[in-house]
């Protein structure tokens, strides 16, 4: 006879735990539903699935206010959702049995972050297992690299679908498995294609221009500096490579390894203000665990600073317009600001809500933060918090 069957009290606790995690948490943001009339109150979708009010807002189009169910993909309007009172009642009934969960939540609370969710778009179908995101500076259009039949999808600044390009394949100008995406000052699109160990360059409309395939073992992160030089990390070779390309003719003018002996380098970002370069290294500390480390290089690729002991799993990095470093933490589903990377890092949680597994970051000229969330295959836009997006007044708009 098992220990559980011999101990009915323990079995009851396990059942309550299952109820709490399976029924009382939103399966989009994984936050506990709230009985208060604010962001985390459970809402029924017409298809029968339940998500929190905050995710209803996050997944809704900013203009049409329509959303797609993240589970069955049926579409509905915000006004078609309604309160799931049975889950509110269930939560209030079993809440006294979880004092420890309250304690853990309060101890781990970092606040809601200093940026609030402004909109979200994409979803499964338009985006499939997305890996990289970047913004066209001129138009503010958003480009996403993902696993669809056409590997690059372009959205307008309001989230409307514009076009796709880069069909799947192994030929020179097809895209096999893109891991990151960048845009050159002239609007050319650069991808790191791990599928055939190459870097591929397209025009802003998706016309193939160049393929560099003789340098890499596992190209991972890619960015372009103000001069138009392409920077590529190689996770297997442990290098950072610079490529100088004539974007007009597609001719490679120069290519050189600028940094060697990196430890599984992945994400890379170049600051447009200072021209500093940050590379994220992934260190295997145990067979089942990784740590990340940041290395900061000057414009001549001299090592300026190394930041160790970061208790996070960094998947993406970018700079804001003032040169502050932003990092995506997949371990906790957060975005942090580390400030000036050549000073002691000042960790400020920018985004604390609404993310499942952030894998890509970009910023616009007005410091809107673009986060690519591979957990629910969406692009999410965050802006500085000027008011409570999910205030009681806002929530009333959803009551029928």
């Amino acid at each position: 006879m098992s220990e559980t069957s011999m101990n009915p009290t323990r079995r009851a606790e396990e059942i309550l735990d299952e109820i709490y995690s399976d029924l009382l948490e939103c399966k989009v943001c994984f936050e506990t539903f709230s009985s208060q009339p604010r962001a985390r109150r459970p809402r029924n979708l017409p298809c029968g699935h339940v998500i929190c009010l905050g995710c209803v807002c996050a997944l809704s189009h900013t203009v049409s206010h329509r959303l797609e169910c993240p589970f069955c993909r049926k579409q509905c309007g915000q006004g078609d959702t309604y309160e799931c009172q049975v889950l509110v009642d269930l939560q209030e009934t079993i809440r006294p049995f979880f004092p420890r969960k309250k304690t853990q939540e309060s101890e781990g609370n970092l606040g809601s972050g200093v940026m609030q969710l402004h909109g979200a778009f994409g979803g499964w179908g338009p985006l499939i297992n997305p890996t990289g995101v970047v913004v066209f500076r001129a138009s503010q259009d958003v480009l996403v690299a993902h696993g669809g039949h056409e590997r690059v999808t372009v959205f307008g600044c309001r989230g409307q679908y514009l076009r796709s390009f880069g069909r799947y394949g192994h030929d020179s100008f097809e895209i096999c498995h893109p891991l990151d995406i960048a845009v050159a000052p002239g609007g050319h699109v650069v991808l790191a294609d791990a599928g055939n160990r190459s870097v591929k360059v397209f025009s802003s409309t998706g016309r193939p221009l160049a393929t560099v395939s003789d340098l890499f073992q596992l190209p991972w992160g890619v960015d372009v500096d103000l001069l138009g030089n392409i920077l590529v990390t190689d996770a297997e070779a442990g290098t950072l490579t610079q490529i100088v390309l004539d974007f007009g003719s597609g001719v490679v003018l120069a290519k050189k390894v600028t940094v060697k002996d990196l430890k599984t380098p992945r994400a890379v970002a170049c600051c447009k203000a200072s021209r500093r370069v940050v590379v994220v290294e992934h260190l295997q500390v145990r067979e089942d665990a990784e740590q990340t480390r940041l290395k900061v290089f000057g414009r001549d690729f001299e090592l300026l600073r190394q930041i160790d002991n970061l208790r996070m799993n960094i998947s993406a990095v970018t700079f804001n317009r003032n040169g502050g470093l932003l990092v995506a933490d997949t371990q906790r589903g957060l975005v942090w600001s580390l400030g000036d990377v050549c000073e002691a890092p000042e960790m400020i949680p920018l985004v604390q809500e609404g993310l499942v597994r952030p894998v890509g970051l970009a910023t616009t000229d007005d410091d809107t933060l673009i986060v690519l969330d591979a957990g629910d295959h969406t692009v999410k836009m965050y802006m500085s918090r000027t008011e409570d997006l999910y205030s009681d007044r806002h929530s009333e708009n959803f009551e029928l």
Side-chain angles (χ1 to χ4, degrees):
M1 183 177 295
S2 68
E3 182 180 352
T4 300
S5 61
M6 293 175 62
N7 190 339
T9 301
R10 181 176 176 181
R11 178 55 182 161
E13 290 177 352
E14 290 177 353
I15 292 173
L16 287 174
D17 272 321
E18 291 176 5
I19 292 174
Y20 197 97
S21 61
D22 292 345
L23 297 179
L24 299 183
E25 291 181 353
C26 174
K27 296 309 178 186
V28 174
C29 65
F30 295 99
E31 295 287 340
T32 304
F33 288 129
S34 171
S35 59
Q36 301 300 314
R38 297 177 73 84
R40 301 306 165 199
R41 200 166 178 88
R43 304 287 297 186
N44 275 310
L45 304 183
C47 59
H49 293 106
V50 181
I51 62 177
C52 69
L53 174 60
C55 289
V56 169
C57 297
L59 297 176
S60 297
H61 192 278
T62 55
V63 177
S64 68
H65 301 295
R66 293 187 62 79
L67 67 148
E68 186 179 76
C69 173
F71 309 108
C72 68
R73 303 302 164 189
K74 291 184 179 179
Q75 294 193 355
C76 66
Q78 287 181 348
D80 298 327
T81 69
Y82 55 96
E83 185 173 301
C84 186
Q85 186 62 43
V86 64
L87 288 187
V88 174
D89 294 341
L90 177 61
Q91 187 178 49
E92 291 302 310
T93 299
I94 70 171
R95 184 180 292 277
F97 295 96
F98 292 95
R100 65 186 185 279
K101 285 188 179 289
K102 292 183 186 178
T103 301
Q104 290 170 355
E105 288 166 2
S106 62
E107 288 176 350
N109 184 23
L110 297 171
S112 57
V114 298
M115 304 191 83
Q116 67 181 13
L117 189 62
H118 183 65
F121 52 89
W124 181 263
L127 298 178
I128 299 174
N129 299 325
T131 53
V133 65
V134 72
V135 175
F136 269 131
R137 292 297 173 186
S139 62
Q140 300 297 291
D141 293 342
V142 178
L143 290 79
V144 181
H146 64 110
H149 178 66
E150 292 185 300
R151 298 307 214 200
V152 178
T153 296
V154 184
F155 298 93
C157 59
R158 294 181 177 273
Q160 70 275 25
Y161 171 84
L162 297 181
R163 62 186 179 277
S164 297
F165 64 86
R167 67 180 182 181
Y168 168 75
H170 296 269
D171 290 341
S172 178
F173 291 115
E174 296 175 325
I175 302 173
C176 183
H177 184 48
L179 290 181
D180 202 4
I181 186 171
V183 171
H188 298 91
V189 181
V190 183
L191 289 106
D193 190 344
N196 58 10
R197 303 177 181 181
S198 65
V199 169
K200 294 174 179 175
V201 182
F202 297 82
S203 71
S204 60
T205 59
R207 179 172 57 88
L209 291 177
T211 297
V212 182
S213 58
D214 58 342
L215 293 177
F216 309 107
Q217 297 178 39
L218 182 58
W220 195 293
V222 65
D223 201 5
V224 181
D225 66 20
L226 275 177
L227 300 178
N229 301 319
I230 301 170
L231 302 177
V232 187
T233 60
D234 190 320
E236 190 168 319
T239 58
L240 176 67
T241 298
Q242 181 187 70
I243 301 171
V244 181
L245 181 73
D246 182 340
F247 288 96
S249 63
V251 175
V252 176
L253 303 178
K255 48 191 176 182
K256 63 177 179 179
V257 174
T258 57
V259 181
K260 299 179 180 179
D261 300 322
L262 294 169
K263 304 297 183 183
T264 317
R266 294 185 183 175
V268 60
C270 181
C271 179
K272 303 304 186 285
S274 66
R275 292 178 59 185
R276 293 170 181 161
V277 175
V278 169
V279 174
V280 181
E281 294 182 300
H282 283 242
L283 312 175
Q284 195 79 32
V285 293
R286 297 195 312 271
E287 185 176 346
D288 60 342
E290 281 188 349
Q291 285 184 356
T292 49
R293 177 172 68 189
L294 298 177
K295 282 189 174 178
V296 186
F297 300 93
R299 63 180 63 187
D300 294 322
F301 301 101
E302 72 278 14
L303 182 63
L304 301 179
R305 185 178 179 84
Q306 179 172 300
I307 305 175
D308 296 283
N309 301 318
L310 290 170
R311 297 181 179 179
M312 60 180 75
N313 190 342
I314 300 174
S315 57
V317 288
T318 193
F319 289 90
N320 61 24
R321 62 180 175 179
N322 297 319
L325 181 66
L326 314 181
V327 302
D329 179 1
T330 55
Q331 182 175 333
R332 284 177 273 189
L334 304 177
V335 176
W336 300 86
S337 169
L338 301 188
D340 187 338
V341 291
C342 283
E343 303 291 337
E346 182 182 3
M347 296 178 58
I348 300 173
L350 290 185
V351 178
Q352 171 77 2
E353 297 180 341
L355 296 177
V356 183
R357 189 163 64 89
V359 297
L361 295 176
T363 57
T364 65
D365 290 337
D366 63 357
D367 266 351
T368 297
L369 176 63
I370 309 295
V371 183
L372 182 63
D373 194 337
D376 55 12
H377 311 273
T378 59
V379 177
K380 297 172 181 176
M381 299 182 294
Y382 291 85
M383 301 181 71
S384 296
R385 183 178 295 276
T386 56
E387 62 178 351
D388 186 359
L389 178 64
Y390 305 123
S391 63
D392 294 345
R393 172 183 58 80
H394 187 90
S395 299
E396 289 172 358
N397 295 333
F398 294 89
E399 301 296 337
L400 299 180

